[in-house]
Amino acid sequence: MSDIEQVPPGVDASVPSPARMYDYFLGGTENFEVDRLAAEKVRESVPEAEDAAWANRGFLQRAVSWLAGKGVRQFIDIGAGLPSRNNTHDAAQAVAPDARVLYIDNDPIVRVHAEKLLAGSSGTAFITGDFRDPDGILGHPETLATIDFDEPVALLLVALTHFVADDDDPWGLIRRYMDRLVPDSYLALSAATHDRHTERSVQGIKEVYSRSSAGVHTRTRAEIERYFDGLEIVPPYDGAPATLAYAGEWAADDVDAADSDGSRWSYCAVARKTQ
Ligand SMILES: C[S@@+](CC[C@H](N)C(=O)[O-])C[C@H]1O[C@@H](n2cnc3c(N)ncnc32)[C@H](O)[C@@H]1O
């Protein structure tokens, strides 16, 4: 998808979209000229942008496999983005073929993509929805048809919350979702940080995204840690620290090799609701 003539109904190809820019960084084709130009502008400030996207993607896949291995059979993936390969249902169903995944995104391009990608797959559903509207998402008929709220659920907020402003209170929103889930449910989250990055590169990214359909709000480790308040952060393997990790490091086979510049753009963790 690269010509303006091929723009699907409801999709605005005149403004860069974070979902399409991410797709571009991951080598996908669901993006337009305006997205590629914006992504290349990001790369001018952050040469390791592509590595950052892949490191984040790796966290998502490892976290979902880990959760399925712990017996979780239901996933709510908000800000799904739906790149072409190795999505949440692929990772979950590779471990547990009966796993169900509800994908949600607020970008119309993701719906178009989901209709193609998920056609014929079992145990998946997609709704267009906004993370900032928990009642709309949790009460949506498709949600209620897909998710059994009497059983544990993994809420996936992967590379999403940095598109949510402080004024929208992402911390309070997460609590509202987690309050709806039974004990032994999980939160898996990654989020962009400006810790240990230069002012120049952080401002460079913010400037590009301020001209996209969603501004970016990088945060400190302490601010990202607060997303997990009231939950128990779990170690990815015995002996690993139960704290935030950089995206590439979480459950990595080779932690030293995974500790790349791109990986250090995101903190992540998986946490369990204990009560
Ligand atoms: C960087 S992509 C992450 C995709 C996937 N979660 C991953 O980590 O591989 C961020 C996605 O969040 C979506 N998004 C941004 N703000 C959102 C909101 N308020 N509600 C729902 N989705 C949102 C974007 O459209 C985009 O698809």
Side-chain angles (χ1 to χ4, degrees):
M1 188 188 306
S2 56
D3 297 335
I4 209 81
E5 289 76 21
Q6 296 173 319
V7 178
V11 171
D12 182 354
S14 67
V15 176
S17 110
R20 300 186 317 238
M21 290 165 65
Y22 187 65
D23 175 68
Y24 175 69
F25 282 130
L26 294 176
T29 55
E30 306 278 326
N31 51 74
F32 302 107
E33 182 72 11
V34 72
D35 307 303
R36 295 190 284 275
L37 290 172
E40 289 304 333
K41 206 83 192 131
V42 168
R43 209 199 296 269
E44 283 174 21
S45 300
V46 181
E48 63 276 22
E50 200 172 300
D51 176 37
W54 281 110
N56 174 71
R57 201 70 197 143
F59 163 67
L60 170 72
Q61 290 153 359
R62 293 191 302 280
V64 169
S65 300
W66 187 95
L67 288 160
K70 291 285 171 198
V72 178
R73 293 293 176 266
Q74 311 187 92
F75 296 81
I76 299 180
D77 185 352
I78 308 183
L82 282 184
S84 320
R85 282 188 304 276
N86 298 332
N87 279 297
T88 298
H89 70 283
D90 300 308
Q93 292 175 353
V95 177
D98 57 336
R100 298 190 303 283
V101 179
L102 174 67
Y103 289 110
I104 299 158
D105 205 285
N106 68 351
D107 189 322
I109 195 75
V110 180
R111 167 171 286 287
V112 173
H113 187 47
E115 280 167 5
K116 288 183 279 180
L117 192 76
L118 302 179
S121 75
S122 66
T124 63
F126 177 86
I127 59 175
T128 297
D130 196 301
F131 169 67
R132 294 165 295 183
D133 177 21
D135 292 340
I137 286 180
L138 294 169
H140 194 287
E142 195 70 44
T143 305
L144 300 174
T146 310
I147 301 296
D148 175 357
F149 284 100
D150 292 330
E151 294 293 326
V153 173
L155 175 66
L156 311 178
L157 304 177
V158 181
L160 165 76
T161 50
H162 48 248
F163 296 112
V164 182
D166 283 9
D167 286 352
D168 288 318
D169 187 15
W171 300 274
L173 287 165
I174 289 174
R175 179 125 342 144
R176 286 178 61 190
Y177 285 99
M178 292 310 295
D179 281 352
R180 183 71 180 85
L181 307 182
V182 296
D184 290 328
S185 291
Y186 287 87
L187 169 66
L189 179 148
S190 68
T193 183
H194 48 245
D195 286 357
R196 302 168 68 165
H197 296 291
T198 64
E199 179 73 13
R200 189 189 147 275
S201 52
V202 173
Q203 283 314 319
I205 305 177
K206 289 192 173 176
E207 202 179 302
V208 177
Y209 279 98
S210 71
R211 283 182 261 113
S212 82
S213 55
V216 83
H217 308 272
T218 57
R219 296 194 165 97
T220 63
R221 180 186 175 111
E223 288 169 328
I224 294 169
E225 214 151 28
R226 273 178 50 216
Y227 290 141
F228 299 95
D229 276 1
L231 305 171
E232 178 187 82
I233 294 183
V234 295
Y237 51 86
D238 285 347
T243 58
L244 295 198
Y246 287 122
E249 290 174 351
W250 198 91
D253 290 336
D254 181 341
V255 174
D256 290 335
D259 182 21
S260 65
D261 289 345
S263 165
R264 289 177 176 231
W265 276 98
S266 297
Y267 286 118
C268 68
V270 174
R272 190 166 69 93
K273 177 172 174 167
T274 55
Q275 53 185 353

